[in-house]
Amino acid sequence: MKRKLTKDEPRTPTRKRTRASAPDEEEENGVIPAVETPSRRTRGQHSLSEDIRHEKVNGVKDSVLNGVNEHGTPKSLRKVLFSTPTKPRDEESANGTPTIVRNADRSARRKSTRRLIERTINGDESDEGEDEEALVEQILGEEGEDEEERDGLEDIDQEGEPAPETPSKRGRGRPKTKPRKQHSPTPPQNLPAHEEYFWQNRPGGTKTSNNIMSSRILLAYDEYRDAIKAYKDPHAAEEEFLLELHSRSFDQWIFELQEGFNICLYGYGSKRPLTKMFAAHLYEHLSNKPPYSTSKQKPKIVIINGFWRGIRSFITIKDILTTVASSVFPPNTKFSSQPATLLTSILTYLNENPPPRPLPIILNSIDFPALRRSPIPSILAQLSAHSSINLICTADTPNFPLLWDLGQRAQFRFLFHDATTFAPYDAEIDVVDSVNQLLGRSGMKLSGRDGVSHVLRSLPVNARLVFRILVTEQLALFAIDGTADSGADEGEEPDFATTATPRHETNPASRKGESTAAIGVDYYGAYRKAVEELACTSEVGFRQLLKEFFDHQMIESRKDVAGKERLLVPFRREELEEMKNELTNEEDF
Amino acid sequence: MEQKCYIYSPDDSDERASKRRRIACAAGWSLREQLYGEFWAPLEHRIQTQSTLEEADSTTLEKIIKFVSGAVVAPDRQEAVIPTGLILAGSSIASHRSFFDRLGRKIVLDTGSTFVLLTSGECLNLKALVKSLIKKLTSRVGGNDDEEDEEDEEDENHTGNVSRIGPKLRDYDLVRLQEWYSKTKVDSIVVAIQDSEAFDFSVLAEMAELLSSWMDRLPFLLLFGIATSSESFQSNLSGAALRLLKGEEFNVTQADDIFEKIFCTTVGSPEVSLYLGPDLSRRLVDRQKDHVQSVQDFSDAVKYAYMCHFYANPLSVFLSQSLAFGEMPHDVWEATRNLPSFRRWVNTLLEDGRAKEVRRLLESDRYLYDNIKHHIASGQTAMFKLVSATSVLAAIRVIVQKVPHVPRSSLYIRSTSGELNGSPLIREMLLMLSKVSSDTFSSVLTSMELLQNSYVPIDIAVYRRELDALIKRNPNSTPLRSQHDVKNNSLRTTIVAQKVQLSKHKSTLSELDSSYSELVRRFHDDVENYFEETLIDPRDLFLSEILLYDLKSPLSEVFAPKPRFAIERALSSPHDYLGCDCCSSSEGALSGTQPVTAILYQLYLESGSIINVNDLWMAFHAIIGEENDESESNAMALFEQALANLKFLGLVKESKRKADHISKTTWKGL
């Protein structure tokens, strides 16, 4: 149970006013009484008594106070209606209701009141969000949020706080404790790591604004490419120096490889340039050693890019093993395509015909998702455990050692070296793709809505019809979401699930963290609609129509919790609406 | 776009490679590389021979094998009790597998039994257990023979399946096993459960029941690997199942003990030529005990220490016995004069007023060379004596009873850090030594005789002769006692003038006893002097940097990296790595000059568990915009790049909770 006390310092609201806009404070002030705890009543706040009596008489305390002290906008009235009952004080219980009775219904009332308040505050925040300055601050832990967040921790301490002097200046009914005053961009400074974790994960701790990234601002492929090309890295010289620093260890690495260890490089930045340089160095080193120095034979160094990405494929263990096999086996040997058998044949061949020098394999990004799946690490471990194989690999993620169990780790015989380069992950990441994916806009692949309409134009009428049905249905779902979210007024997003309020009960969907619209349209529902509208006659036909959309990644297929198939048009609501308009307009003509 | 996999060809970046050619370390290194080979090879050999651990737990293996072959009874017996071996293999699960593998090989080799190893992973329920049991056994006999058999069987089943065996057998029917058994006629079928604690105990009980019901047809024998204790194992099994088992307990040498042995014979042995220092050894031992527990890892770590010493320390060339003055690289002399131990040494020389010598040391490389040679030799002897003393100490402590056991590795660590001289450990041991009776004394002498390759200046043989003579003269069978032994004293209570007086009286010592006491006292003094002389602090030696390798730095990072810390550091204070002028001013604070990913990462650190991307972008843009007047799309490109980097590093992932939000997955420093 949260107990909130008002204990005011005249300074704070003033300070606040400089930062937040006036109406905000208005609202905040209006809100205060609701948050107050009964405990306050017992403390005779004589300095307040005058005001309080005044309130009593008027019935609407804060609005009046506000009116007196500040702007007195009627806006605050709205909330105050609900907050009144929680306020009355024992000393002057004018309404004559027995305390017990009031106590009994207080909790329920307070609940509903608080819900309202929370809504209001959140609403405010989203308003604030339009202001850029405020936004920046908000991210840095703006005070408005700050205070919100602190509530939970502070209101316990507040019991003992001295009484406020003027209720009129209450800033959100939250008393200030010492640390509060020293405002800093980050809420609590210098917390130990675990405390910070709990701090940031506390219930209700994650209040973020509802701002949405405008699609226009995100870059398309070519825009990104141009922009990055134009960008000059101010640290290029330092990065070059880092690279040079690492390259001084090349001889050491060669010595380590020679002694039967394998090498794993980690640290921030792409290590591809480094391994490339190392390959060159190693090549030269090997060329000067027998048997390469005495014969025409050239040293072989296998280079594998674990991050390799095809159109819709990634590198496979088969690719790796075949490349290794091609450099191990004499030319024109036929080998199995089965990874396990290929591995054993490589190992037995190496056992029987050990090469004069171990074969170096340079593997970039050993921890790339495509190489994490089950048999691959163990195959790589077995391969590198062989004394005729030298593995030099790089790992990018911070927790990569967890990929291997004790046995594999022993097989790898890794020596780890920190090779932080700060080099951009040019080849490793497709920036635009991965940002779009991160923001749930896989539809952006088509360079957005325009691309979609381009595709649609080239499709037959019934295909367009089907797409319109999907879009409409999904928009309907958005609408349902909107209303299902109790009182999600002012177009608020359906989920503030994290605020730890009674709102949890009202919207299970948001509690799960996923709105129905995000799951998509029921497949059979959509099919039936399509049949009704004569877009197709059979399911096969429907599938065929959908296939085109799948190919262009205009829709996605998912399974919901019950295992039913759902179709999702991966665009945001506004874009969907525009598409729908476009499609209906087309039909009209 | 990069290629997927390819074979490197040099023309890629040829000129770059040649630019990187370095000549600096070339001269000394080839010498040192050779030295490294000379030093490491014998040690590696020793670790390897020692780590054929068979030696370490051979007695247990013998016992188990005896049990297995002893348990074989006539196959037609009627009793339903399964002979069971409870193998207490200790808590280091990592070494269980290798133990059971060795056990299996030995059982198959030495007895007429077959051996199946079952692990919890393949035996989730009874059916799976029996299935894998049958599969492992029937495929064992090996070769084509078996396959043919199976095919025969298949054929039989196919053609006349009703005639002989009835319907086709399920692959978990023990009748299959019986058929196989009738063909092979092994003495017994040893079923080993490697990790009994990981099994569902009801499965084990069911298994016991099933196997015992087949005991009249199939001679089963069970071996349970137990990591906890036999009591807890018993309490987990039901009474009914326990009644079917007839158990015997075996204790396996623990991994700790094995490691201790290997440590003594390798690093802690007096004969090695490069000694590992106390800090490093402590780290190695701790790591071995806490984390890895494998001999291979230990060997790797020691090897890497050797590699580091010879690769990174140019002065390690002095360890070579054969190198003449002229063959030395040129830079070593100046380097030697900068050694802390050289300065220490020179200071003591100056205090002794030998300034002339010092001058010569500073001026003449030749003179320095001679001195180094001399000191390397004397230092090596001192180290040899020190480590020998440690092994003498350990040997005596084992025999002299009543002293707490201190592992040999810890004795080594203490001795190399110079803590041992005059320590309670020594005093205690000397005290006990003065009290030993003649039989213990005799075994002390024996154990000291057995210490090979150690420096023991005490003439054991003399003591042995004298002791033998004394014992010969001893008429009764009780061992001779030393006069310091408390047992020889008796307390007498006398009442003198109404006061109780406690007085100690030496019980009368026989003439023999007193001459024995004299002998022990002499030995005690000898040992005391010996320890006094040998237990020095090796770090005070001149050239201790060369004789002793004690750097923890490359070793710990190379074997136990902290990649997460490295990445977090790179991103939160990039200046640490880049060392640039622009970012250094803002210590730990954001500045627009930092690499973009670092900026975004620090914003990320400040936010809560879910982050609004748009707000993040605003904040980012504000910071970036401050410094470099970027256009929005350029800033956006950087933002996207930074965001994609964070995603690639696994620091953020998409969140479905709210639109345009991402969720934070890591917290710095956790």
Side-chain angles (χ1 to χ4, degrees):
Chain A
M1 170 57 101
K2 277 193 181 175
R3 317 197 126 191
K4 308 212 172 179
L5 253 195
T6 36
K7 180 244 127 181
D8 292 338
E9 286 175 20
R11 258 186 305 136
T12 347
T14 339
R15 208 154 60 85
K16 217 178 149 41
R17 219 165 298 131
T18 60
R19 199 168 294 105
S21 56
D24 280 342
E25 189 173 353
E26 219 14 67
E27 301 240 341
E28 284 164 16
N29 281 338
V31 159
I32 314 144
V35 226
E36 287 201 357
T37 43
S39 66
R40 240 201 82 185
R41 281 176 284 127
T42 52
R43 250 182 277 138
Q45 294 166 334
H46 297 293
S47 62
L48 285 183
S49 58
E50 197 57 26
D51 289 334
I52 289 162
R53 202 161 293 123
H54 186 57
E55 287 167 27
K56 276 282 129 172
V57 172
N58 282 295
V60 193
K61 310 143 293 182
D62 279 280
S63 70
V64 172
L65 291 176
N66 280 337
V68 169
N69 293 302
E70 308 262 347
H71 321 270
T73 29
K75 213 174 168 188
S76 46
L77 267 169
R78 198 176 55 181
K79 294 113 209 168
V80 169
L81 282 176
F82 291 83
S83 55
T84 344
T86 60
K87 188 68 194 245
R89 288 157 207 288
D90 273 346
E91 315 119 1
E92 51 242 295
S93 53
N95 50 9
T97 349
T99 331
I100 305 162
V101 177
R102 270 187 288 118
N103 278 340
D105 58 14
R106 180 173 299 123
S107 63
R109 266 186 208 153
R110 193 187 294 151
K111 231 183 194 171
S112 63
T113 317
R114 189 169 311 125
R115 190 188 303 163
L116 202 87
I117 292 157
E118 223 107 23
R119 185 128 323 135
T120 320
I121 292 169
N122 289 336
D124 289 350
E125 277 170 6
S126 69
D127 291 341
E128 273 169 24
E130 275 142 40
D131 185 59
E132 275 207 9
E133 278 302 311
L135 232 183
V136 172
E137 253 197 354
Q138 202 170 1
I139 288 195
L140 296 170
E142 184 239 323
E143 186 165 272
E145 281 214 19
D146 233 2
E147 287 170 3
E148 280 295 314
E149 288 160 359
R150 276 165 194 270
D151 273 2
L153 294 185
E154 283 180 358
D155 45 18
I156 299 158
D157 313 331
Q158 287 156 17
E159 306 283 318
E161 292 286 333
E165 302 139 29
T166 42
S168 55
K169 295 226 170 162
R170 274 176 219 141
R172 281 214 207 166
R174 220 166 294 99
K176 314 283 177 185
T177 44
K178 280 274 139 55
R180 260 288 266 325
K181 283 178 198 161
Q182 9 173 301
H183 174 77
S184 64
T186 34
Q189 289 279 304
N190 301 326
L191 284 180
H194 57 280
E195 288 293 350
E196 187 158 323
Y197 171 80
F198 287 119
W199 168 254
Q200 294 184 346
N201 274 301
R202 72 204 183 282
T206 45
K207 280 183 196 124
T208 53
S209 74
N210 292 323
N211 298 317
I212 304 174
M213 205 84 181
S214 143
S215 294
R216 251 161 293 139
I217 205 172
L218 287 175
L219 302 177
Y221 291 98
D222 43 345
E223 291 172 303
Y224 172 77
R225 215 175 304 125
D226 295 344
I228 282 295
K229 215 178 267 172
Y231 175 68
K232 226 179 115 274
D233 188 355
H235 288 282
E238 282 85 6
E239 281 165 26
E240 182 68 20
F241 176 69
L242 266 181
L243 212 57
E244 147 77 20
L245 212 61
H246 292 310
S247 71
R248 287 187 202 167
S249 325
F250 283 170
D251 284 320
Q252 182 194 334
W253 295 353
I254 289 176
F255 175 48
E256 287 166 357
L257 291 175
Q258 204 176 302
E259 289 304 316
F261 291 105
N262 293 312
I263 289 177
C264 180
L265 306 174
Y266 63 90
Y268 172 71
S270 174
K271 289 158 284 286
R272 204 169 27 90
L274 187 64
T275 51
K276 216 168 183 175
M277 277 164 62
F278 181 62
H281 187 89
L282 186 63
Y283 186 88
E284 201 181 289
H285 171 85
L286 288 177
S287 314
N288 294 331
K289 298 269 170 185
Y292 305 116
S293 58
T294 50
S295 72
K296 277 206 167 155
Q297 216 181 340
K298 288 275 165 219
K300 283 175 178 167
I301 300 173
V302 176
I303 296 185
I304 300 161
N305 288 321
F307 52 78
W308 184 86
R309 214 176 313 99
I311 303 300
R312 260 181 219 180
S313 61
F314 291 99
I315 195 164
T316 60
I317 189 65
K318 206 182 120 192
D319 298 328
I320 298 176
L321 287 178
T322 357
T323 321
V324 173
S326 68
S327 52
V328 165
F329 294 139
N332 304 326
T333 320
K334 284 209 166 164
F335 37 81
S336 158
S337 62
Q338 189 68 35
T341 38
L342 185 52
L343 174 71
T344 34
S345 57
I346 290 176
L347 293 182
T348 36
Y349 183 85
L350 286 175
N351 277 335
E352 286 158 8
N353 320 287
R357 296 206 163 253
L359 172 76
I361 301 176
I362 294 179
L363 171 53
N364 288 314
S365 303
I366 195 174
D367 56 347
F368 200 76
L371 293 181
R372 286 181 207 164
R373 256 169 297 114
S374 162
I376 299 179
S378 93
I379 289 179
L380 289 177
Q382 285 175 54
L383 189 66
S384 61
H386 197 277
S387 57
S388 294
I389 299 277
N390 278 337
L391 180 70
I392 303 103
C393 70
T394 67
D396 302 307
T397 54
N399 295 323
F400 71 89
L402 300 177
L403 275 176
W404 309 306
D405 62 24
L406 207 63
Q408 286 165 5
R409 185 89 179 253
Q411 283 181 314
F412 272 124
R413 277 187 97 191
F414 271 138
L415 299 177
F416 298 91
H417 293 291
D418 184 347
T420 302
T421 62
F422 277 91
Y425 290 105
D426 286 335
E428 285 89 339
I429 318 178
D430 185 334
V431 171
V432 178
D433 252 10
S434 81
V435 167
N436 282 336
Q437 211 181 349
L438 202 55
L439 300 181
R441 301 175 197 218
S442 19
M444 287 290 285
K445 280 195 183 134
L446 271 178
S447 67
R449 206 171 42 76
D450 299 339
V452 171
S453 49
H454 180 74
V455 171
L456 283 176
R457 265 197 291 279
S458 65
L459 287 179
V461 184
N462 50 352
R464 263 179 289 179
L465 196 55
V466 167
F467 196 71
R468 187 173 63 91
I469 290 167
L470 289 175
V471 170
T472 326
E473 290 289 303
Q474 193 160 332
L475 278 171
L477 285 178
F478 272 121
I480 292 170
D481 268 0
T483 48
D485 180 44
S486 62
D489 37 359
E490 287 117 39
E492 191 182 317
E493 272 290 316
D495 27 25
F496 281 104
T498 46
T499 45
T501 62
R503 289 190 43 195
H504 273 327
E505 293 114 56
T506 60
N507 191 356
S510 70
R511 201 174 171 190
K512 259 194 312 180
E514 196 158 2
S515 62
T516 25
I519 311 174
V521 186
D522 177 40
Y523 174 78
Y524 283 101
Y527 167 59
R528 242 174 283 123
K529 267 261 162 64
V531 174
E532 275 169 28
E533 303 221 6
L534 302 176
C536 60
T537 49
S538 68
E539 206 195 326
V540 181
F542 185 58
R543 276 273 175 213
Q544 261 166 3
L545 290 174
L546 290 185
K547 190 178 171 294
E548 189 77 29
F549 301 140
F550 278 124
D551 286 351
H552 290 284
Q553 292 166 354
M554 286 157 60
I555 58 173
E556 286 171 4
S557 168
R558 302 196 178 166
K559 288 261 158 50
D560 66 4
V561 192
K564 280 199 289 183
E565 186 176 0
R566 287 186 162 274
L567 299 172
L568 176 73
V569 188
F571 290 93
R572 18 197 72 252
R573 193 173 170 171
E574 310 83 67
E575 289 166 327
L576 287 176
E577 260 155 13
E578 275 180 61
M579 274 183 222
K580 186 187 163 195
N581 288 340
E582 213 169 289
L583 284 164
T584 17
N585 288 345
E586 254 174 49
E587 265 166 49
D588 290 346
F589 293 123
Chain B
M1 191 66 201
E2 292 280 335
Q3 276 168 281
K4 209 191 293 187
C5 315
Y6 59 99
I7 311 280
Y8 176 80
S9 59
D11 42 36
D12 279 341
S13 47
D14 212 2
E15 52 359 303
R16 199 165 200 186
S18 50
K19 205 174 79 187
R20 302 273 164 206
R21 293 224 53 184
R22 296 181 57 244
I23 348 110
C25 78
W29 169 229
S30 57
L31 287 176
R32 280 178 280 136
E33 190 174 15
Q34 204 182 333
L35 266 184
Y36 159 76
E38 284 168 25
F39 276 64
W40 170 246
L43 192 60
E44 183 174 37
H45 177 70
R46 229 182 305 164
I47 291 178
Q48 250 147 36
T49 45
Q50 183 69 29
S51 67
T52 41
L53 300 164
E54 247 102 5
E55 207 184 331
D57 47 16
S58 56
T59 46
T60 328
L61 281 182
E62 282 308 324
K63 270 191 230 160
I64 296 173
I65 286 189
K66 224 177 186 176
F67 166 74
V68 169
S69 46
V72 179
V73 207
D76 53 291
R77 66 214 156 136
Q78 291 303 308
E79 54 180 318
V81 181
I82 315 171
T84 307
L86 304 181
I87 299 174
L88 299 178
S91 54
S92 54
I93 297 175
S95 61
H96 286 194
R97 179 80 206 201
S98 64
F99 174 77
F100 274 101
D101 283 346
R102 260 178 287 129
L103 180 64
R105 275 200 301 274
K106 213 162 164 65
I107 284 179
V108 174
L109 218 69
D110 294 5
T111 67
S113 315
T114 51
F115 180 87
V116 200
L117 184 63
L118 298 178
T119 53
S120 55
E122 54 201 17
C123 307
L124 295 175
N125 50 41
L126 187 64
K127 192 169 138 187
L129 186 147
V130 177
K131 225 188 235 180
S132 64
L133 171 69
I134 293 173
K135 215 165 95 196
K136 284 189 178 180
L137 273 177
T138 49
S139 62
R140 177 66 55 83
V141 192
N144 308 319
D145 224 15
D146 191 39
E147 272 168 38
E148 272 170 35
D149 280 356
E150 226 159 74
E151 256 163 48
D152 285 350
E153 212 173 283
E154 299 269 303
D155 284 346
E156 278 167 32
N157 287 340
H158 203 68
T159 51
N161 53 2
V162 203
S163 61
R164 226 195 68 183
I165 348 169
K168 189 170 162 46
L169 292 171
R170 303 263 177 209
D171 52 0
Y172 49 89
D173 196 327
L174 281 173
V175 173
R176 273 171 168 260
L177 204 56
Q178 197 185 358
E179 253 174 44
W180 167 84
Y181 174 63
S182 65
K183 275 185 215 156
T184 53
K185 281 293 168 204
V186 290
D187 286 347
S188 60
I189 303 167
V190 180
V191 182
I193 310 285
Q194 185 189 317
D195 42 353
S196 63
E197 277 90 354
F199 274 74
D200 188 346
F201 276 94
S202 63
V203 172
L204 286 185
E206 281 170 15
M207 178 196 73
E209 223 167 290
L210 178 77
L211 296 191
S212 85
S213 69
W214 280 81
M215 276 303 278
D216 51 347
R217 286 154 283 175
L218 292 168
F220 282 114
L221 193 144
L222 287 173
L223 293 178
F224 289 101
I226 298 174
T228 52
S229 70
S230 56
E231 285 81 16
S232 81
F233 175 74
Q234 280 179 31
S235 65
N236 277 324
L237 274 184
S238 69
L242 281 178
R243 243 167 281 135
L244 299 171
L245 305 175
K246 195 174 70 185
E248 199 168 314
E249 205 178 288
F250 301 96
N251 262 308
V252 178
T253 326
Q254 306 286 297
D256 274 2
D257 300 344
I258 296 172
F259 168 70
E260 205 57 46
K261 272 190 186 155
I262 289 173
F263 186 88
C264 301
T265 47
T266 54
V267 176
S269 147
E271 300 155 75
V272 296
S273 21
L274 171 64
Y275 297 89
L276 297 189
D279 287 345
L280 186 65
S281 319
R282 188 177 296 122
R283 271 165 182 279
L284 283 183
V285 171
D286 288 350
R287 185 173 132 80
Q288 190 70 17
K289 284 185 179 150
D290 299 344
H291 300 291
V292 284
Q293 296 190 326
S294 92
V295 178
Q296 181 61 47
D297 266 289
F298 174 70
S299 158
D300 279 353
V302 177
K303 180 177 187 176
Y304 197 72
Y306 271 61
M307 284 165 64
C308 286
H309 188 65
F310 287 102
Y311 186 85
N313 189 348
L315 299 181
S316 56
V317 279
F318 290 132
L319 283 174
S320 159
Q321 256 118 36
S322 54
L323 275 184
F325 174 72
E327 292 171 272
M328 291 289 172
H330 304 293
D331 44 1
V332 290
W333 312 116
E334 220 36 57
T336 314
R337 291 187 184 114
N338 280 310
L339 283 179
S341 74
F342 178 82
R343 293 174 185 206
R344 253 197 326 267
W345 181 52
V346 161
N347 274 335
T348 49
L349 284 184
L350 285 177
E351 278 164 28
D352 296 351
R354 293 151 72 180
K356 237 183 206 160
E357 260 175 74
V358 173
R359 176 162 289 276
R360 267 190 87 190
L361 279 175
L362 291 175
E363 281 168 356
S364 155
D365 290 346
R366 185 80 211 196
Y367 185 68
L368 184 63
Y369 170 74
D370 292 340
N371 265 288
I372 289 171
K373 253 204 132 158
H374 169 72
H375 272 92
I376 289 276
S378 71
Q380 268 173 340
T381 330
M383 284 306 296
F384 173 70
K385 285 180 184 172
L386 173 70
V387 182
S388 302
T390 322
S391 52
V392 170
L393 176 63
I396 299 180
R397 281 182 69 91
V398 168
I399 290 161
V400 178
Q401 297 297 312
K402 293 186 231 159
V403 286
H405 176 71
V406 179
R408 177 72 190 279
S409 53
S410 112
L411 284 181
Y412 174 81
I413 291 166
R414 288 197 209 181
S415 71
T416 45
S417 57
E419 288 169 10
L420 219 46
N421 197 5
S423 69
L425 270 174
I426 300 269
R427 290 206 306 273
E428 186 185 50
M429 190 273 295
L430 287 172
L431 192 67
M432 297 313 291
L433 193 62
S434 65
K435 292 178 186 171
V436 289
S437 58
S438 63
D439 47 350
T440 325
F441 186 53
S442 159
S443 45
V444 167
L445 291 181
T446 321
S447 79
M448 287 183 68
E449 277 162 0
L450 286 178
L451 279 178
Q452 293 159 346
N453 309 322
S454 293
Y455 165 78
V456 188
I458 307 164
D459 195 349
I460 305 290
V462 172
Y463 284 103
R464 169 66 76 190
R465 260 200 312 280
E466 289 183 28
L467 180 67
D468 285 348
L470 282 176
I471 290 174
K472 235 175 236 164
R473 283 161 57 201
N474 188 11
N476 36 11
S477 58
T478 51
L480 297 168
R481 290 171 305 175
S482 152
Q483 63 179 12
H484 302 285
D485 195 341
V486 197
K487 272 182 281 179
N488 293 344
N489 299 336
S490 54
L491 285 177
R492 279 193 199 164
T493 323
T494 36
I495 299 176
V496 179
Q498 313 245 305
K499 279 181 188 159
V500 180
Q501 271 194 341
L502 279 177
S503 55
K504 260 194 215 168
H505 284 262
K506 283 210 172 104
S507 56
T508 44
L509 284 166
S510 66
E511 183 231 342
L512 262 179
D513 279 349
S514 52
S515 52
Y516 169 68
S517 302
E518 170 62 23
L519 181 71
V520 169
R521 202 185 46 72
R522 256 169 45 218
F523 184 70
H524 169 268
D525 292 348
D526 270 356
V527 171
E528 194 173 3
N529 290 335
Y530 165 65
F531 281 135
E532 196 70 38
E533 175 205 347
T534 52
L535 292 177
I536 47 155
D537 187 345
R539 286 176 291 191
D540 291 340
L541 290 171
F542 171 47
L543 295 179
S544 64
E545 293 92 342
I546 300 170
L547 297 166
L548 210 64
Y549 182 77
D550 199 17
L551 298 172
K552 63 179 188 205
S553 153
L555 214 64
S556 56
E557 280 115 52
V558 149
F559 286 103
K562 294 185 198 135
R564 184 168 163 180
F565 172 75
I567 289 178
E568 280 169 356
R569 181 171 175 195
L571 289 179
S572 56
S573 49
H575 174 68
D576 288 5
Y577 279 97
L578 292 173
C580 49
D581 305 326
C582 44
C583 311
S584 58
S585 56
S586 53
E587 195 57 55
L590 270 172
S591 87
T593 58
Q594 288 179 349
V596 285
T597 314
I599 294 176
L600 195 67
Y601 178 73
Q602 288 164 72
L603 292 175
Y604 158 91
L605 283 183
E606 286 169 3
S607 50
S609 58
I610 64 168
I611 306 166
N612 183 323
V613 178
N614 189 46
D615 296 354
L616 196 61
W617 150 243
M618 295 295 188
F620 180 83
H621 188 44
I623 292 171
I624 278 284
E626 265 173 35
E627 293 283 336
N628 9 353
D629 207 18
E630 300 278 350
S631 75
E632 191 172 67
S633 75
N634 283 356
M636 190 64 195
L638 295 177
F639 176 72
E640 289 196 9
Q641 188 187 41
L643 194 62
N645 279 350
L646 290 191
K647 181 175 182 252
F648 180 66
L649 296 175
L651 301 176
V652 295
K653 61 174 188 192
E654 61 236 74
S655 164
K656 284 182 181 154
R657 297 234 295 256
K658 273 171 110 174
D660 276 349
H661 275 60
I662 50 179
S663 56
K664 189 172 176 177
T665 52
T666 56
W667 272 260
K668 191 188 166 209
L670 271 188

